[in-house]
Amino acid sequence: MLRKGLLPVLFAVLISFAGTKLVACAGPAWPSDEERRFLDAYRDSVAAGATDDQFAHADKLYVEALQVLSETYVEKIDRAAFVENSIASLNGLEIEDMSPINIVGAALDDSLHTLDPHSAYMTDDMFRRLQESTEGSFAGVGIVISLDDEKHIRIVSPIDDTPAARAGLRPDDRITHIDGHQMKGEPISEAVRLMRGRVGDPVTLTIFRVDNSFDVTVKRARIEVPSVTAGIIDQDIGYIRVSRFDATTLDQTQEYLSELEGRIVTPRGIIVDLRRNPGGLLDSAADIADQFLTNGLIVATEGRGERKMRSYEADRSDYFDQVPMAILLDRGSASGAELMAAALRENGRGVIIGERSFGKGSMQRIMPLTSGGGLKITTGYYTTPENHIVQGHGVIPDIEVNRADAEEFEREIDLEHALPSRRRDPRQSLASLDATTCEQDIEIERLGKSNRDNLEEKPEDGEEVYRDSVLECAVGYFDNGPLATYRNQVEPLLRAGL
């Protein structure tokens, strides 16, 4: 299991990519006097031996980036201040390769972070990894890893039916070397880079297990990472969990929803679990919401000056039509997860149970640059069907469930240089209760390849049995649990669109 301290870090990495779109951008113009100041300044930081062609390439990168930023950023930028930030960042760069292109890229990245937490410069390698994260698959060995307290690469778990699982790798194994490279003290991103590659190419991992060290050579394969799981609770409640929105999420969701409808003759309710979902592709999030809506606005986007850009209307399906729905959110639900939950509630489809969500209501686009790499730039805000913006506020649950062991980590509004809050939804929770008051024994049959008795890992000897009290609260909403007392208050409001 992941250590609690690691989860916020992993979530922060994921959230930085939530809600991205890929677009092309225009070519660069000649440098302005402001840009020339930076182009002159960064030359003092370049290592000896740089060529004129390298300088010309790096100059083009900076000028093109400033042009794209001026034309597309969600707010009008102060070009002079941006250039000053770029110049100021040169003294604090922590990079080994002091070539012109690396220095300009690092300075650009630092300056973009002063605009908001999600805008950034991306190298070609970072751009490729982002594409993989939205495709739902990658070429690798199939393990989830973390850093332990001593900065070793620790295997959290091998993914079922992957080269790592077939090679016998186990949770808590330490990877000391990858193809001979010493990994102690290296960041997780470097371990990921070394283990990914072309399908069929071998990679050798040196494993330390208990008190024994040995090498394992595995061939990389295409790793499919499911984003949807599902189950049947107490024989008549459908449960579907969406952990992120990528290119494969819609197909997985439709397959599970069809199976749930076929298996449950008279459904008492449907639970849509969006906890810890950091977002992903906007189109995917809108498509999943559309599975439960036959009409109505799902989400819209607006750019600089509240200019309307795009809207998504429901027109597709009506899975579990007329069946009461509960949507689960927590502080780790962000971007597309927040928008999907708001769309379902504001269209009168479901009640939200859990915690106030993360509050990321901004939209990023990836702009490939002709000079290499690309920019991830905040270009707009998402708006809900009732024209609210979740940026900074998050989505307030109809019924708040407080967990004593809830992890504390920053929400969007707490991040440095976060964009300000706008057009808050005035709703307040109808009730707030302690999660322990909902505890009840529930029976869960999990669907799909990983069919197990429970949706959670079984505890090891001596460990306390894990209770998903929030899920148990949601089940209680449909029967005679503590939340049932609020059902008669909430359902009429949903039907009235309030």
Side-chain angles (χ1 to χ4, degrees), residues 40 56 70 113 136 255 261 297 351 422 444 490:
D40 291 339
S70 297
H113 286 318
E255 181 178 349
E261 283 199 326
L297 177 66
V351 58
R422 303 176 62 185
I444 306 175
V490 174

Side-chain angles (χ1 to χ4, degrees), residues 66-367:
L66 262 290
Q67 178 188 352
V68 171
L69 191 64
S70 297
E71 293 173 352
T72 61
Y73 192 68
V74 66
E75 307 290 349
K76 184 177 181 180
I77 67 164
D78 184 335
R79 292 174 63 96
F82 188 91
V83 171
E84 286 297 328
N85 285 330
S86 298
I87 294 173
S89 71
L90 294 173
N91 293 327
L93 295 181
E94 297 180 359
I95 56 175
E96 295 182 5
D97 183 353
M98 300 299 285
S99 63
I101 196 70
N102 274 10
I103 289 175
V104 171
L108 264 177
D109 191 55
D110 281 352
S111 301
L112 286 164
H113 286 318
T114 66
L115 298 178
D116 69 77
H118 307 295
S119 293
Y121 169 71
M122 305 182 73
T123 64
D124 289 331
D125 186 54
M126 293 171 66
F127 178 62
R128 177 181 57 80
R129 292 184 193 177
L130 175 60
Q131 286 182 306
E132 288 180 345
S133 72
T134 60
E135 289 170 357
S137 66
F138 58 89
V141 300
I143 52 176
V144 179
I145 59 176
S146 70
L147 280 180
D148 67 13
D149 293 336
E150 297 179 354
K151 305 298 183 183
H152 291 112
I153 302 295
R154 171 181 174 267
I155 296 180
V156 176
S157 65
I159 300 171
D160 290 343
D161 196 26
T162 64
R166 291 190 289 270
L169 298 184
R170 302 176 186 172
D172 225 33
D173 284 348
R174 265 58 176 183
I175 302 174
T176 61
H177 296 76
I178 301 177
D179 281 339
H181 296 282
Q182 168 65 250
M183 298 311 298
K184 182 176 181 180
E186 294 291 337
I188 287 179
S189 59
E190 179 63 8
V192 170
R193 186 186 70 82
L194 291 171
M195 285 189 287
R196 291 191 180 180
R198 290 188 302 232
V199 171
D201 283 356
V203 58
T204 299
L205 309 179
T206 302
I207 303 297
F208 182 79
R209 179 183 296 166
V210 187
D211 57 0
N212 185 31
S213 183
F214 55 94
D215 287 346
V216 175
T217 299
V218 295
K219 288 186 178 181
R220 297 178 177 93
R222 178 61 57 184
I223 308 299
E224 303 291 337
V225 185
S227 56
V228 184
T229 54
I232 300 173
I233 301 176
D234 293 344
Q235 301 182 356
D236 61 358
I237 297 176
Y239 172 88
I240 187 158
R241 167 165 170 73
V242 183
S243 59
R244 67 183 181 280
F245 299 107
D246 61 36
T248 67
T249 305
L250 176 60
D251 288 342
Q252 295 176 58
T253 301
Q254 289 176 324
E255 181 178 349
Y256 276 128
L257 288 175
S258 295
E259 183 175 359
L260 286 170
E261 283 199 326
R263 294 277 302 276
I264 305 174
V265 178
T266 307
R268 185 157 43 108
I270 175 75
I271 297 173
V272 179
D273 192 345
L274 300 178
R275 291 174 295 175
R276 290 284 181 175
N277 182 325
L281 298 177
L282 176 61
D283 288 6
S284 177
D287 283 341
I288 305 307
D290 200 0
Q291 303 312 299
F292 302 101
L293 299 169
T294 54
N295 56 70
L297 177 66
I298 296 175
V299 64
T301 61
E302 67 178 36
R304 186 183 298 179
E306 301 187 3
R307 176 176 58 88
K308 298 300 180 184
M309 299 167 64
R310 188 177 178 186
S311 62
Y312 298 75
E313 297 283 344
D315 63 0
R316 181 165 294 169
S317 303
D318 56 352
Y319 286 103
F320 288 91
D321 187 31
Q322 303 301 314
V323 175
M325 173 187 290
I327 306 116
L328 305 188
L329 289 184
D330 66 7
R331 66 192 68 195
S333 307
S335 193
E338 297 175 283
L339 299 169
M340 176 177 167
L344 293 174
R345 175 168 66 185
E346 293 179 16
N347 279 288
R349 185 62 188 88
V351 58
I352 297 175
I353 298 173
E355 294 181 295
R356 177 169 66 89
S357 61
F358 185 77
K360 181 184 181 294
S362 62
M363 174 181 68
Q364 287 71 46
R365 291 188 177 183
I366 304 299
M367 315 280 194

